[in-house]
Amino acid sequence: MSDTTGARARRPRTDAQRNRTHILDVAEQYFSEHGITGSLDAIAKQAGIGPGTLYRHFPNREALLAALLKAREDELVSRHDAIRREVRDSTEALAQWLEALGRWSTAFEGLPEPLRMALTEDTSPLALTCQGYITITDEFLTAAQRDGGARPEVRGRDLFLSVLATSWVRSAAMADESSPLALNALMRTGWAIP
Amino acid sequence: MSDTTGARARRPRTDAQRNRTHILDVAEQYFSEHGITGSLDAIAKQAGIGPGTLYRHFPNREALLAALLKAREDELVSRHDAIRREVRDSTEALAQWLEALGRWSTAFEGLPEPLRMALTEDTSPLALTCQGYITITDEFLTAAQRDGGARPEVRGRDLFLSVLATSWVRSAAMADESSPLALNALMRTGWAIP
DNA sequence: CAACATACGGAGACGGTCTCCGGATTGTCA
DNA sequence: TGACAATCCGGAGACCGTCTCCGTATGTTG
């Protein structure tokens, strides 16, 4: 529905489109290096544009983040498909999905924070994404529960939050690198049935 | 060693002392209402003093926080004593200690964040406090492990981080109030041996 | 090539952190 | 008690980050 709609808007100007993708490129790198709390104006400057331009494309940090994560969404969705296709054991499938979620939520330093926020304020552009992933988690979870591999009292939302929480611990590189692993193990013994 | 040291500093002026405690009072209330990310200058204004005065007493937000938590330290220490005195079952003792830690780390909205930071940068005034509580956690934990109530591979540091992580989830009041409870339960099945 | 919609850019309002130092206040000692 | 020195106060303002507004520039369409 983007081609021949009745009163269709003309398509965005090419310079705008170019700027948009360029901002995303720069932001991707900048957030990777400085974490998501880095200065947005600095990103604009590094992209060679004015702050106004950046803020028109992405009205705030969350919007920019959402756009960046959109790119990684395909990655996660295809991982989701691969797991459904290749992993027979439903418990193992859940475990692998949670691991994929963990990688996703540590894409940038400090990412777990806005993700958690998005779960409370549904006005956030990240809220929809999170909700979708919770649903997927629930699917894997109920399958595992049906097969007796996961405790029945656990909910998908709780697992999603667990992943976020352990990713949050991992943030701000700890002196002790083993803690995130330990927490993951703790979580797993928490939801799994041996 | 505060009385008759050789070249002892004279004791602080009474107005300074008065200001200090007054700042703490105001900050306690302000952080309770607005979370720990509230404006420090606003606290100064509300206390009827200049920003400079606040920052001389507490050079940054962390220092102020540390001072506020110092007050609650007694509370936690006495809780620690009470548990050791009254709770016979070492596993139950550990559980109760973790619960006390959880309450401590949710004293103010947003508190878990600086606490986690303090664990990585040992220059923080909060670092010592955290370290102490990790040690205590380790004591309770090894006792529980000796009695076969806790998994041997778990470490005190991991449990402390777990508590912080669940408190972090609780922050920013979720629409779903049951999640923190669920996470706590998950954690417990994670470290406990039935 | 108009003329119109759209987008750009940067000046600057705003709010927060934190510093600096002239002036006020307190403690001390003769 | 009356200086004097040590100490502390207060607020102006430097600095940084977020975000807005609008005159100007650039694309797009007929």
Side-chain angles (χ1 to χ4, degrees), chain B residues 120-178:
Chain B
T120 81
E121 316 164 12
D122 40 77
T123 66
S124 160
L126 295 171
L128 262 172
T129 313
C130 285
Q131 213 52 48
Y133 293 155
I134 289 181
T135 305
I136 295 180
T137 307
D138 244 333
E139 289 172 17
F140 280 113
L141 176 61
T142 49
Q145 283 170 333
R146 194 191 329 109
D147 298 351
R151 303 182 186 277
E153 72 271 19
V154 178
R155 296 171 308 169
R157 181 190 187 83
D158 302 332
L159 287 188
F160 186 82
L161 279 170
S162 305
V163 171
L164 246 50
T166 57
S167 298
W168 175 77
V169 166
R170 187 187 322 250
S171 284
M174 311 253 328
D176 188 351
E177 260 307 317
S178 62

Side-chain angles (χ1 to χ4, degrees), chain B residues 4 8 14-15 23 30 33 43 50 91 104 106-108 125 136 146 172-173 181 186 193:
Chain B
T4 42
R8 74 171 182 280
T14 53
D15 55 345
I23 290 172
Y30 193 87
E33 289 174 4
I43 292 178
T91 306
W104 170 75
T106 48
F108 306 110
I136 295 180
R146 194 191 329 109
L181 294 176
L186 197 81
I193 296 176

Side-chain angles (χ1 to χ4, degrees), chain B:
Chain B
M1 54 173 170
S2 65
D3 256 342
T4 42
T5 328
R8 74 171 182 280
R10 70 166 66 168
R11 76 155 169 276
R13 273 165 48 169
T14 53
D15 55 345
Q17 198 110 31
R18 204 160 34 90
N19 271 331
R20 194 190 139 88
T21 63
H22 186 220
I23 290 172
L24 286 177
D25 284 348
V26 173
E28 169 89 26
Q29 166 144 10
Y30 193 87
F31 281 162
S32 295
E33 289 174 4
H34 302 78
I36 62 157
T37 53
S39 156
L40 294 190
D41 277 28
I43 292 178
K45 189 169 297 180
Q46 190 166 322
I49 61 174
T53 303
L54 191 154
Y55 282 96
R56 194 171 335 95
H57 282 284
F58 309 100
N60 51 46
R61 175 175 272 111
E62 276 205 332
L64 181 52
L65 266 179
L68 284 177
L69 290 183
K70 190 87 180 176
R72 317 212 163 204
E73 193 170 336
D74 303 338
E75 200 175 321
L76 199 48
V77 166
S78 71
R79 186 83 191 91
H80 166 241
D81 294 342
I83 293 176
R84 295 204 74 140
R85 218 181 313 112
E86 297 164 11
V87 182
R88 289 287 177 79
D89 180 24
S90 59
T91 306
E92 185 55 26
L94 173 55
Q96 290 200 18
W97 167 249
L98 292 182
E99 197 213 320
L101 266 187
R103 272 198 308 272
W104 170 75
S105 63
T106 48
F108 306 110
E109 166 83 36
L111 181 56
E113 186 70 47
L115 289 180
R116 192 210 51 182
M117 298 288 281
L119 251 48
T120 81
E121 316 164 12
D122 40 77
T123 66
S124 160
L126 295 171
L128 262 172
T129 313
C130 285
Q131 213 52 48
Y133 293 155
I134 289 181
T135 305
I136 295 180
T137 307
D138 244 333
E139 289 172 17
F140 280 113
L141 176 61
T142 49
Q145 283 170 333
R146 194 191 329 109
D147 298 351
R151 303 182 186 277
E153 72 271 19
V154 178
R155 296 171 308 169
R157 181 190 187 83
D158 302 332
L159 287 188
F160 186 82
L161 279 170
S162 305
V163 171
L164 246 50
T166 57
S167 298
W168 175 77
V169 166
R170 187 187 322 250
S171 284
M174 311 253 328
D176 188 351
E177 260 307 317
S178 62
S179 290
L181 294 176
L183 277 200
N184 270 329
L186 197 81
M187 291 288 185
R188 165 130 195 188
T189 35
W191 60 257
I193 296 176

Side-chain angles (χ1 to χ4, degrees), chain A residues 73-189:
Chain A
E73 192 171 335
D74 303 338
E75 202 174 320
L76 199 48
V77 165
S78 71
R79 185 86 191 89
H80 166 241
D81 294 342
I83 293 175
R84 295 204 75 139
R85 219 181 312 113
E86 298 164 10
V87 183
R88 290 287 177 78
D89 180 23
S90 59
T91 307
E92 185 56 24
L94 173 56
Q96 291 200 18
W97 167 250
L98 291 182
E99 197 212 320
L101 266 187
R103 273 199 307 274
W104 169 76
S105 64
T106 48
F108 306 109
E109 166 84 35
L111 181 55
E113 185 72 45
L115 289 180
R116 192 209 52 182
M117 297 289 280
L119 251 48
T120 81
E121 316 165 12
D122 41 78
T123 67
S124 160
L126 295 172
L128 262 172
T129 314
C130 285
Q131 213 52 49
Y133 293 155
I134 288 180
T135 306
I136 295 181
T137 307
D138 244 332
E139 288 171 19
F140 280 114
L141 175 61
T142 49
Q145 283 170 331
R146 194 190 330 108
D147 299 350
R151 303 183 186 277
E153 72 271 19
V154 178
R155 296 170 308 167
R157 181 189 186 84
D158 302 333
L159 287 188
F160 186 82
L161 280 170
S162 305
V163 171
L164 246 49
T166 57
S167 298
W168 174 78
V169 165
R170 188 188 321 250
S171 285
M174 313 253 329
D176 188 351
E177 260 308 314
S178 62
S179 289
L181 294 176
L183 276 201
N184 270 328
L186 197 81
M187 291 289 183
R188 164 130 195 186
T189 37

Side-chain angles (χ1 to χ4, degrees), chain A residues 13 15-16 19 49-53 56-57:
Chain A
R13 272 166 49 168
D15 56 343
N19 270 330
I49 61 175
T53 302
R56 194 169 337 94
H57 282 285

Side-chain angles (χ1 to χ4, degrees), chain A residues 15-31 39-55 57-58 64:
Chain A
D15 56 343
Q17 197 110 32
R18 204 159 35 89
N19 270 330
R20 194 191 140 88
T21 63
H22 186 221
I23 290 172
L24 286 177
D25 284 348
V26 173
E28 169 89 27
Q29 165 145 9
Y30 194 87
F31 281 163
S39 155
L40 294 190
D41 276 28
I43 292 178
K45 189 168 295 181
Q46 191 166 323
I49 61 175
T53 302
L54 191 154
Y55 282 96
H57 282 285
F58 309 101
L64 181 52

